[in-house]
Amino acid sequence: GFDRFAGEVVPKYPMIQAMEWIPRISRTDRAAVVKKMQHYFPGCRIRVPDGHGAMRREPDRAYYYPVTYVDPLRGNEKAVGYDLASSPERLAAISRSIRSNRIVATAPIRLVQEQARQSGLLLMLGGRTPNHETIVALTVLRAGDFVRSLHIPADRLHVRLVDVASGQTLFSDFGPGPALRPDLFAYDFTFGLRRYRLQTAPTEAFLDEHKSW
């Protein structure tokens, strides 16, 4: 099942923060699903952020997309029970994935389990089970860890990763200075049906070593 698949994939790719399983459940099924979740996660409930760094019980709504499984659990405990339907960005990506039957990336977001200041993004693949139940398989990426996994030499190149549609910077080690440089190289690519711009420029240390160029 999904737990076995996630257990094999996560250790191989350190840029993955977690893999999660999210079913779509109705208001009438909520109590039964929560009871089943509490068998594995005592005290768990369907929750949303309260705006102050804590989680509170999700009010009643027509349906929910709660995280019912996460691998690894350690460091991601806060995500268990989180209702993705409460976030417009997450719900939009879920709906687009189900409609297109393709992997969809969210706009840059702050992960509910994020303790530092990294931006994150979610890769979602929606589908239906043989019983016609809607489910979402989700991969959590922290932008900084993802860029560092590319093994770009930090002593040679500055790197900036930008989400083109929103204009948000997911990662940058350029530091203060003008956003545009004459030596800036930019490459656009599509990932999860979103367009990103990877910008690089040589570091000062690299330029000092190659003044003859």
Side-chain angles (χ1 to χ4, degrees), residues 42 45 61 70 73 83 96 104 129 132 142 162 164 177 186 194 198:
R45 54 186 177 173
R61 62 167 67 235
V70 59
L73 178 60
D83 177 24
R96 189 178 185 191
V104 172
T129 68
H132 305 291
R142 299 172 79 205
V162 179
V164 174
R194 292 188 72 85
L198 181 67

Side-chain angles (χ1 to χ4, degrees), residues 48-110:
V48 293
D50 66 359
H52 302 285
M55 303 288 281
R56 61 176 174 82
R57 184 183 184 276
E58 168 71 300
D60 284 343
R61 62 167 67 235
Y63 64 90
Y64 313 86
Y65 280 101
V67 176
T68 60
Y69 175 83
V70 59
D71 186 356
L73 178 60
R74 185 174 183 179
N76 297 295
E77 295 90 346
K78 202 170 183 179
V80 176
Y82 172 62
D83 177 24
L84 276 73
S86 67
S87 163
E89 297 87 354
R90 292 165 172 82
L91 184 57
I94 289 173
S95 300
R96 189 178 185 191
S97 178
I98 292 172
R99 288 196 310 269
S100 65
N101 196 33
R102 297 178 66 182
I103 295 174
V104 172
T106 62
I109 59 172
R110 180 174 178 82

Side-chain angles (χ1 to χ4, degrees), residues 111-159:
L111 304 173
V112 295
Q113 63 267 54
E114 177 61 39
Q115 298 298 315
R117 299 178 64 85
Q118 287 195 57
S119 294
L121 57 91
L122 308 177
L123 297 178
M124 302 185 180
L125 179 59
R128 288 180 172 80
T129 68
N131 296 328
H132 305 291
E133 297 170 328
T134 301
I135 55 89
V136 178
L138 184 153
T139 300
V140 183
L141 300 177
R142 299 172 79 205
D145 293 344
F146 176 70
V147 172
R148 293 186 186 97
S149 73
L150 302 177
H151 302 296
I152 299 172
D155 61 336
R156 293 291 184 266
L157 287 175
H158 291 302
V159 179

